[in-house]
Amino acid sequence: MQKVDVIIIGAGAAGLMCAISAGSRGRSVVVMDHANKVGKKILMSGGGRCNFTNYYAEPANYLSKNEHFCKSAMSRYTQWDFIGMVEKHGIPYHEKKLGQLFCDNKAKDIVNMLLEECSEVDADVRTHCSVEQIKKQDEGFLLITSQGKWQCQSLVIATGGLSIPTMGATGFGYDIARQFGLKVLDTTAGLVPFTLTPHLLEQFEGLSGTSADSIVSCNGQSFRENILWTHRGLSGPAILQISSYWRPGDSVGINLFPDIDLLEHLKERQQSNPKSHLNGVLSETLTKKLADRLCELWFVDFYKKPLAELSNEQMAAVAEQCQSWQLKPTGTEGYRTAEVTLGGIDTDEVSSKTFEAKKVQDLYFIGEVLDVTGHLGGYNFQWAWASGHACGQYV
Ligand code: FAD
């Protein structure tokens, strides 16, 4: 039997940060992960460059049943704290857009940094370690693992959500929560592409790879970024963002001309260039391929006429369709490609200060396993760093 102060299950973003935070207080820490490598999601994130935080991270960027829950941890470990660690390790980075910070080189720089910090505080990080059983004892916990029996005073669950099961994601954290009588809210895939009906896919055939700067809205939320046609449906940052607010059966509103009043613009062009055609005017903003296709699909009755021959009603119909396009997805691509899991362990069950379960002394939950989900853009890692750091101060 081996004894330590703290066992953390899950060597991802939150688990490694928690190990650093607890280890720096002199606690003996073991991090156990069943995968063959630590931080697999960090390695694959941000297209291999890891969008590790965001200059503008704040509580408004998170979805949770309790919108206040994330505030305390986020104020105690901010994006500036994490940037400080990145700079201390001399890791080159840049802002790509909208405050999103990426490594100049590889996401591996972030994993190496976390492992170096773990090693500096003597935290023992183990891969290939499966936890078979967890038993509560009078003080702390007994764990039966593939690497023997362990006893610890504090047990931290940092096993993440369900997205990308091929990367080692499991429902382990939810199972442990249920084992100890904690409420787990329904989970769904977030930051995920939409799938479309076969009819719509046929209509959009050949547009795969086309994108358009748009405002996408659903359930009172709007995001302005690109949408991207794919061979399975619609993706791109604006679609991923709105997917976290979409529920089955909902329609999504899409404005393909976010910078102009399209009706006014068409009227102006009708005056200034009466011989021009609708697809030509639309392709001043959209790609020619997209403008041509949308005209064939939506305005087949009149788009071949010169603008001079279009009625006000026809131009109003064009503006309405292009600026308030209502699209009804059939679903999402699910956990297979989702970046995050919405829902999870009910934050009412956990202290927002320490992350200890209110009903179970010495048991802690951090990171994505909790019902806190960030927008796209480095916010999910910032939550992992902030919750991991806060918890590490108390275990
Ligand atoms: P994870 O990082 O998922 O770590 C959980 C760990 O627990 C894993 O190492 C896993 O192997 C381990 N584990 C699971 N089950 C068990 C078990 N039964 N026993 C032992 N160990 C177990 N967020 C951003 O902010 N910026 C990005 O650029 C970004 N890009 C992403 C790209 C992709 C493709 C994906 C899928 C996600 C991306 N995210 C990004 C989201 C981000 O990766 C997660 O929100 C974040 O990793 C959550 O951290 P975590 O520590 O809670 O969980």
Side-chain angles (χ1 to χ4, degrees):
M1 173 88 71
Q2 308 198 56
K3 288 187 180 178
V4 284
D5 294 331
V6 183
I7 291 180
I8 300 167
I9 307 180
L16 292 174
M17 182 54 90
C18 185
I20 296 162
S21 168
S24 67
R25 291 173 43 240
R27 308 291 281 160
S28 59
V29 180
V30 173
V31 189
M32 299 176 172
D33 202 297
H34 66 163
N36 58 347
K37 269 197 265 186
V38 304
K40 278 190 172 184
K41 277 198 190 155
I42 302 175
L43 292 172
M44 76 187 299
S45 68
R49 290 229 161 93
C50 187
N51 177 193
F52 55 79
T53 193
N54 193 298
Y55 278 144
Y56 309 117
E58 56 172 2
N61 301 115
Y62 295 85
L63 294 90
S64 171
K65 194 186 87 179
N66 177 0
E67 64 193 47
H68 304 294
F69 181 82
C70 65
K71 289 182 178 172
S72 167
M74 295 216 28
S75 68
R76 284 177 286 147
Y77 192 87
T78 68
Q79 55 272 47
W80 307 108
D81 293 310
F82 193 77
I83 292 166
M85 189 190 281
V86 168
E87 290 183 349
K88 185 179 104 189
H89 285 255
I91 297 172
Y93 67 92
H94 61 278
E95 179 185 356
K96 196 168 167 190
K97 57 176 177 176
L98 306 169
Q100 301 166 6
L101 302 188
F102 285 76
C103 296
D104 286 356
N105 300 320
K106 288 211 159 81
K108 201 165 193 331
D109 287 352
I110 299 293
V111 174
N112 288 345
M113 171 187 86
L114 295 168
L115 287 177
E116 266 175 46
E117 292 271 334
C118 281
S119 143
E120 272 170 32
V121 297
D122 287 330
D124 174 5
V125 182
R126 293 169 172 242
T127 53
H128 301 96
C129 184
S130 309
V131 178
E132 282 142 26
Q133 242 187 325
I134 297 176
K135 287 184 189 159
K136 179 89 180 95
Q137 300 190 307
D138 287 344
E139 258 205 36
F141 293 85
L142 170 72
L143 272 68
I144 299 171
T145 78
S146 59
Q147 295 183 11
K149 284 187 181 175
W150 291 79
Q151 239 179 3
C152 63
Q153 218 170 60
S154 303
L155 176 63
V156 183
I157 308 296
T159 46
L162 294 169
S163 44
I164 324 268
T166 49
M167 282 289 136
T170 66
F172 181 88
Y174 310 130
D175 296 341
I176 299 303
R178 288 191 193 99
Q179 176 187 333
F180 288 99
L182 310 188
K183 188 170 174 197
V184 180
L185 302 176
D186 288 346
T187 60
T188 48
L191 300 180
V192 63
F194 285 138
T195 52
L196 301 177
T197 59
H199 177 63
L200 273 175
L201 281 181
E202 201 178 302
Q203 292 192 329
F204 295 143
E205 205 186 327
L207 287 182
S208 189
T210 302
S211 62
D213 175 19
S214 307
I215 297 173
V216 179
S217 311
C218 189
N219 290 321
Q221 277 290 327
S222 293
F223 293 94
R224 177 172 179 175
E225 279 220 60
N226 273 346
I227 63 173
L228 172 74
W229 277 259
T230 72
H231 55 277
R232 285 192 292 266
L234 274 184
S235 185
I239 294 292
L240 299 184
Q241 295 280 32
I242 210 70
S243 73
S244 295
Y245 292 88
W246 177 85
R247 295 291 164 263
D250 289 343
S251 288
V252 173
I254 300 177
N255 178 354
L256 293 166
F257 293 82
D259 285 323
I260 55 171
D261 178 328
L262 186 56
L263 179 56
E264 288 307 311
H265 185 70
L266 288 170
K267 284 182 181 166
E268 187 279 317
R269 281 288 188 278
Q270 195 178 41
Q271 294 299 316
S272 63
N273 200 351
K275 288 186 185 156
S276 61
H277 287 82
L278 186 59
N279 50 342
V281 178
L282 299 187
S283 69
E284 291 166 16
T285 303
L286 308 177
T287 65
K288 183 168 181 321
K289 201 174 181 183
L290 182 58
D292 287 348
R293 181 65 59 87
L294 296 183
C295 282
E296 283 161 23
L297 287 174
W298 293 340
F299 316 120
V300 68
D301 295 340
F302 55 83
Y303 84 93
K304 286 187 178 155
K305 295 180 186 170
L307 277 193
E309 291 179 31
L310 298 196
S311 66
N312 278 346
E313 288 72 32
Q314 284 170 325
M315 288 193 293
V318 171
E320 172 72 14
Q321 177 65 32
C322 292
Q323 296 206 281
S324 307
W325 174 25
Q326 293 297 308
L327 176 87
K328 198 166 185 174
T330 50
T332 72
E333 290 186 7
Y335 295 119
R336 192 177 58 79
T337 59
E339 277 200 16
V340 286
T341 301
L342 292 155
I345 296 166
D346 192 335
T347 55
D348 286 352
E349 301 279 15
V350 176
S351 155
S352 61
K353 187 175 173 199
T354 64
F355 291 84
E356 188 175 21
K358 291 175 186 167
K359 291 179 196 151
V360 190
Q361 211 184 348
D362 302 320
L363 179 64
Y364 299 77
F365 294 89
I366 53 172
E368 199 183 317
V369 76
L370 289 166
D371 169 36
V372 177
T373 308
H375 289 168
L376 186 78
Y379 301 102
N380 283 294
F381 280 135
Q382 188 56 39
W383 171 243
W385 315 135
S387 58
H389 181 268
C391 176
Q393 294 298 301
Y394 290 93
V395 284

